[in-house]
Amino acid sequence: MPNRFSERALRESQAFGVRQAPILRPLGWLAHGWHDLWQAPLASLAQGLVMALFGALLLAVAHDRFWLLSGAFSGFLLLAPVMATGLYALSRDIDRNLPVGLSTVWLAWHPRDGRLIVFGILLAVAGTGWVLCSAALITGFAPEPIVTPRDFLLKVVLNEQSSLFETWLGLGALLAAPVFASSVVAIPALLDQPADRLGVYGAVLTSWRVVLEHPAPMALWAALLMGLTTLGLATALLGLIVIVPWLGHASWHAYRDLVRHRSD
């Protein structure tokens, strides 16, 4: 059974070509994403507002519980590519010169198959793994018990006698890298391609091919995604209202720029 899945995924991925991209191409994706944002401002900003309000809800519920807050935001960031499905649909229809609006987003969330649900579950499992690894590291090596976010800031981040924070960041980057490589173009591809042409594992394999063939531009793209998301979080989440749809639209253009089906 595993061999059959692997063979099918390989065949599906090989049906897609990966276009070449210069190192600064991600800046072009941002430009296209900004254009799409203002082609459908109501539907785009509404999704950004939902994400910002959801982040605010997480802060309100877990602001004094470090592990709950860490787990909630880890899940929030890892599931963001799936949650941006409506933004990919908007950009897809803008590319096709079709009318776009909130109905476009609504239809994107009612797919005829369960591939995006499966992908979301896989990302949730990855997020759970990160939280468990993070908890084990901090609990095992912190000089004092860490209970609240303030404890983490004072006893880990600002502790000049320990390199625990740097180790924690390194572990996070190590675990985030394969998640990024698995999802960077996979979710837009699953939205764009029918189920008989591309399954979840084929989409993941195609996404890895993109990253391995374009390490420099994809590293820049990852840095831009992280940097702009951090900026949105640092503005009391208000920046997410614009940044989330901007990056969602730009991610669609990254997919369209890098991946093509050989029969198209």
Side-chain angles (χ1 to χ4, degrees), residues 48-226:
L49 178 61
V50 168
M51 293 284 277
L53 290 175
F54 183 60
L57 178 63
L58 294 179
L59 280 175
V61 172
H63 70 281
D64 60 345
R65 301 173 180 85
F66 172 69
W67 292 117
L68 182 57
L69 184 63
S70 174
F73 267 102
S74 296
F76 176 78
L77 294 174
L78 285 172
L79 290 173
V82 174
M83 296 166 71
T85 298
L87 296 164
Y88 308 146
L90 288 170
S91 285
R92 177 195 60 192
D93 287 359
I94 290 172
D95 281 349
R96 297 174 178 176
N97 294 316
L98 297 174
V100 294
L102 290 172
S103 60
T104 308
V105 177
W106 179 257
L107 289 173
W109 281 107
H110 290 75
R112 287 171 290 185
D113 59 77
R115 290 175 298 161
L116 290 174
I117 295 174
V118 171
F119 208 106
I121 293 172
L122 293 175
L123 290 178
V125 170
T128 301
W130 156 242
V131 172
L132 292 176
C133 290
S134 174
L137 179 68
I138 299 300
T139 301
F141 294 96
E144 299 179 47
I146 305 297
V147 178
T148 67
R150 186 173 184 274
D151 292 338
F152 181 76
L153 177 64
L154 295 177
K155 300 172 185 177
V156 178
V157 178
L158 300 179
N159 188 347
E160 297 181 354
Q161 309 302 316
S162 170
S163 60
L164 180 58
F165 180 58
E166 290 77 7
T167 303
W168 183 77
L169 286 178
L171 177 63
L174 184 65
L175 295 177
V179 173
F180 171 78
S182 299
S183 62
V184 62
V185 299
I187 301 173
L190 291 173
L191 175 70
D192 189 42
Q193 302 294 331
D196 60 353
R197 181 181 276 191
L198 184 67
V200 171
Y201 297 112
V204 169
L205 185 55
T206 302
S207 192
W208 270 93
R209 287 176 54 217
V210 166
V211 172
L212 292 175
E213 293 186 29
H214 301 86
M218 298 315 291
L220 175 59
W221 184 228
L224 289 170
L225 291 173
M226 183 56 66

